[in-house]
Amino acid sequence: MPPIPTDEQLARQAQAGERTAFEELAARYYPRLLNLALRMCGNREYAEETLQEAFLRAWEKLHTFRGESGFKAWLYKIATNFCYMKFRKIKSAPPMESLSLWLRSDAGEEGGADREIPDWSTDPQRALQNKDLRAAMDTALAELQEQQRLIFLLREVEGFSAQEVAGMTGLSVPAVKSRLHRARLFLRERLVPYFESAAGGSYA
């Protein structure tokens, strides 16, 4: 069985004119980018429209990909920009669809202040089965300022480093960490009562 080509190999093939190579790249990242767009745009129609525009732009600009940051980061940067533009066109975004994620603590950033935030990932399946908690997550994330929401999603859900998120958003690394920290604290404040209730104790 032949090895699965890397993103960069497919990108080079696409740059050489192989449209099927780009289609394979798009298929790899469409599901996760759709989740990101859903979180930012508010509903599936807006999200799918945003991704169509983003992938079209990626195809048009593929010749500019040089490989320094990796194809995934390059593609996400394009998609992120389109999510921003779409979000700003929406005057009153509809309720966001369910957010199937849980929060994790990441001690070490922000001078260790995150140690005050409980590790909520010890039993994620139980958390995801809690409909009230999941609804609270959706509501809290929707209340975040758009840039904080995007940074949180890129860092915590997509797993990009602070340096990569900075490159995507045009912010400095300290600014990314600061906004991420504020997002975590905001979500903690909104969600800790649900974890306290589930654990039968207090996280204070």
Side-chain angles (χ1 to χ4, degrees):
M1 183 175 180
I4 298 174
T6 66
D7 289 351
E8 285 65 34
Q9 288 172 334
L10 288 172
R12 298 309 178 198
Q13 293 172 16
Q15 286 177 327
E18 296 185 28
R19 185 65 179 257
T20 55
F22 183 79
E23 291 173 352
E24 185 172 343
L25 284 168
R28 283 184 182 183
Y29 289 107
Y30 186 88
R32 294 200 68 87
L33 281 172
L34 180 60
N35 285 334
L36 176 67
L38 281 169
R39 307 286 86 78
M40 291 301 298
C41 298
N43 68 25
R44 185 168 294 272
E45 180 181 356
Y46 291 140
E48 290 177 345
E49 181 180 298
T50 298
L51 284 195
Q52 288 176 0
E53 296 170 349
F55 279 116
L56 177 59
R57 179 62 57 84
W59 173 251
E60 293 172 344
K61 296 294 184 180
L62 190 59
H63 65 281
T64 68
F65 174 64
R66 298 289 179 260
E68 293 90 345
S69 61
F71 180 82
K72 180 181 178 181
W74 182 83
L75 179 62
Y76 267 73
K77 182 175 182 178
I78 293 174
T80 292
N81 289 334
F82 274 90
C83 283
Y84 264 136
M85 289 189 288
K86 177 65 68 176
F87 184 90
R88 289 164 182 169
K89 289 179 181 179
I90 302 171
K91 294 181 179 179
S92 178
M96 293 168 55
E97 297 183 19
S98 179
L99 176 65
S100 296
L101 63 88
W102 54 91
L103 308 181
R104 66 176 176 84
S105 65
D106 192 0
E109 292 185 356
E110 299 304 316
D114 286 334
R115 284 191 292 270
E116 299 175 2
I117 303 176
D119 182 358
W120 293 335
S121 62
T122 54
D123 193 354
Q125 293 305 318
R126 179 184 296 180
L128 291 177
Q129 291 168 5
N130 187 320
K131 293 182 179 180
D132 290 339
L133 174 57
R134 190 163 62 242
M137 286 181 174
D138 294 342
T139 300
L141 191 65
E143 291 173 354
L144 277 172
Q145 187 269 342
E146 65 178 271
Q147 193 176 70
Q148 291 181 13
R149 185 194 313 176
L150 178 62
I151 289 171
F152 179 85
L153 291 169
L154 291 173
R155 184 74 178 91
E156 299 286 5
V157 181
E158 298 302 329
F160 287 107
S161 68
Q163 182 70 48
E164 289 172 324
V165 175
M168 294 176 197
T169 59
L171 297 170
S172 66
V173 172
V176 167
K177 290 182 177 181
S178 176
R179 286 162 175 76
L180 177 62
H181 184 62
R182 288 200 294 269
R184 287 170 172 165
L185 290 178
F186 177 86
L187 293 172
R188 175 186 186 274
E189 180 182 352
R190 291 293 190 276
L191 299 177
V192 73
Y194 291 89
F195 288 96
E196 289 178 347
S197 176
S202 174
Y203 284 97

